[in-house]
Amino acid sequence: MTEGQILLDPTSEISPVKRPRRARSASLGGRRFGLLDINKARGDVFLDRIEALLKARGHAVNRYRKTRFSIVAPIELKQRIVSQCDIVVEALAD
Amino acid sequence: MMRFSDGLIAVVKRDCPTCTLIEPVIRQLANEGEPLTVFTQDDPAFPAGAGTVIDDTDLENSYHLEIDVVPTLVRIRDGKEAARTYGWDRTEWETLTGIRGLGAGLPESRPGCGSKTREPGMGSRLAVRFGDVKFKARNIELPRLADDIEACYERGWTDGLPVVPPTRERVLEMLGGTRRDPQDAVGVIPPDRIECTVEKAAINAVMAGCKPEYFPVVLTAIEAALVPDFGLHGILCTTNFVGPVVMVNGPIARAIGMNCKVNALGQGNRANATIGRALQLVVRNVGGGRPGEIDRAVLGNPGKYTFCFAEDEDDPAWESFAVERGYARTASTVTLFCGEGVTPVMDEISRTPESLAGSFAAVLRGIHHPKQVSNVDALLVVTPEHAAVFHRAGWSKQRLKEEVRARLMIPARELLRGYGGIDAGLTPEQAGNLDGTIPKFRPSGLNIVRAGGGAGKFSGIISGLGSITINSVTKEIES
């Protein structure tokens, strides 16, 4: 592994070097929501409100929680979110 | 090109016994008054007390001076090289410097050592860093501390297995495997119909794990896959199982160490594994042919990672597939076949050619479906123990092919829909004369090649697709 290594593009170069963000869902209909509390203060207040609003609109909502905001989410948690949700809302900062 | 000032230049490294032997000579030259520049490749403190010693551990000066051996002594006059000697040879050093009595007490001559610029892989590293090497492909600069292999995954450049990160140095090495210009077009790759240059092919060959000496085979494999008769676009986008199967004939297969013997269709040989993979990576990365997108295979097959082998030409009793196709024995060729997996033919009992041909036909009959008599091609891979049965009986390859074909003239009635309680099959209109027979394979659809280990009375069938738009293609490798 070297720092700032340069690789030559093996592709047809018809897509930009900088990968675009994943497109947002065109509609929220039928989407399964995950609300991730990373354990920052008052993140739960924000997510409780979001959950109430989503449920009022008939969406399925799952809640997830990290044990500490400063650690990377464990693989098991990430896999659970990926397999159970289409859209994730994360409460990042207090 | 760097300019060097007039005077003498000595290039040395401490690791070289001849350089350490002549340390007093360098000091002597430094003290004689004429300007002397010493470039030291490995230890800036060496040689001690020798005037202007320049740290050349990055080898920039050695690279521009094109040093092959240390010590090298160069005279620069009017900004140009006027004379050069290497190793230690008192007479030559005295002639070049014009100083008599150099190195009193030293032997008359000693050979030098290899310059650090000639260490393996160093040439391309220095050329990229200090030379005027230009690539047309986009540079992808990875973030500091990024894992390069993971970066290739994240960009979608891999087939699922790790790839060798395509650094400029590695690509330059790969381009050394051909005399073709990096910007030469190899062909237009489906499905996106993007022109693939030699350089793009080299980048993907690096990622596949090829050595530069495999590169001519890779280039020819790409060209063969692009011959319209092969039908690459159809092979890519079909719901069928197929992918390109690459077979190499001729001296190059042996030269680059391809496997045609034990486990010839299996894993374990770098050339076999990486040449087939390089073709598939070109299709993926340059052509945009990715599974789930244009590649709609229902199941695919593991050979779509790579499927490449050499025909065994050691046994002179049968001519090779390439010779059958009209190429000289001395020619090296690549054949592309639209194939799937391998079906075994296990017959350890037959000792007569008639019986063994019957076994081959019986297994070939079932390919795709026992009632399938169109869009089916096959390579019958006959192994040494089975081939010996035919050799003993004096059967040529052509004879075997004819005998198998004769056994695969299938009664039209057995191909009808509903026959044997199976709905699949031909309609009466398709079957035609119900008292007649229909061949399992079209005339060009069944071919025989040889490969495999010396023990085991098994042969193999590489089944595949064949139609008016999908045909095997052979191309000669340009030397």
Side-chain angles (χ1 to χ4, degrees), chain B residues 89-304:
Chain B
D89 183 301
R90 178 178 288 109
T91 313
E92 288 195 16
W93 280 59
E94 287 182 350
T95 307
L96 195 147
T97 58
I99 301 169
R100 308 289 298 170
L102 279 179
L106 297 185
E108 274 304 303
S109 68
R110 277 283 183 277
C113 298
S115 164
K116 284 186 82 70
T117 52
R118 297 296 171 197
E119 288 178 358
M122 191 62 86
S124 55
R125 285 212 285 282
L126 295 173
V128 166
R129 187 156 175 210
F130 303 123
D132 58 355
V133 177
K134 298 257 187 320
F135 296 99
K136 192 140 182 250
R138 266 188 327 208
N139 282 357
I140 305 287
E141 192 167 353
L142 303 187
R144 289 178 71 240
L145 304 179
D147 183 302
D148 46 8
I149 292 175
E150 291 299 330
C152 295
Y153 272 114
E154 285 161 14
R155 283 169 172 74
W157 296 347
T158 97
D159 49 16
L161 292 171
V163 289
V164 176
T167 59
R168 292 167 299 175
E169 292 80 1
R170 290 184 178 126
V171 174
L172 187 62
E173 292 273 339
M174 188 61 64
L175 288 167
T178 180
R179 282 194 285 269
R180 292 181 65 172
D181 186 277
Q183 299 318 320
D184 257 11
V186 185
V188 175
I189 315 289
D192 290 347
R193 299 200 53 76
I194 302 287
E195 186 175 88
C196 178
T197 59
V198 170
E199 182 184 300
K200 281 286 177 193
I203 297 170
N204 283 280
V206 164
M207 296 202 306
C210 290
K211 288 184 172 185
E213 57 260 45
Y214 309 164
F215 193 42
V217 185
V218 172
L219 288 174
T220 310
I222 298 168
E223 287 174 338
L226 296 177
V227 172
D229 262 2
F230 185 59
L232 182 59
H233 192 283
I235 293 166
L236 272 175
C237 63
T238 180
T239 49
N240 223 297
F241 297 70
V242 287
V245 176
V246 181
M247 182 175 73
V248 180
N249 278 101
I252 199 164
R254 189 183 288 261
I256 63 174
M258 292 190 72
N259 182 21
C260 62
K261 303 283 189 184
V262 172
N263 201 42
L265 306 185
Q267 85 290 12
N269 177 279
R270 180 171 176 180
N272 291 30
T274 60
I275 291 168
R277 190 184 188 206
L279 172 60
Q280 284 285 35
L281 287 178
V282 165
V283 166
R284 175 187 182 89
N285 289 322
V286 183
R290 286 179 287 267
E293 297 176 26
I294 194 81
D295 181 342
R296 307 304 299 181
V298 170
L299 284 171
N301 82 83
K304 288 174 81 173

Side-chain angles (χ1 to χ4, degrees), chain B residues 12-16 39-46 55-57 59 116:
Chain B
V12 295
K13 66 176 184 186
R14 184 190 283 282
D15 194 37
C16 161
F39 292 116
T40 180
Q41 293 186 339
D42 57 352
D43 179 0
F46 173 80
D55 178 352
D56 197 37
T57 46
L59 301 175
K116 284 186 82 70

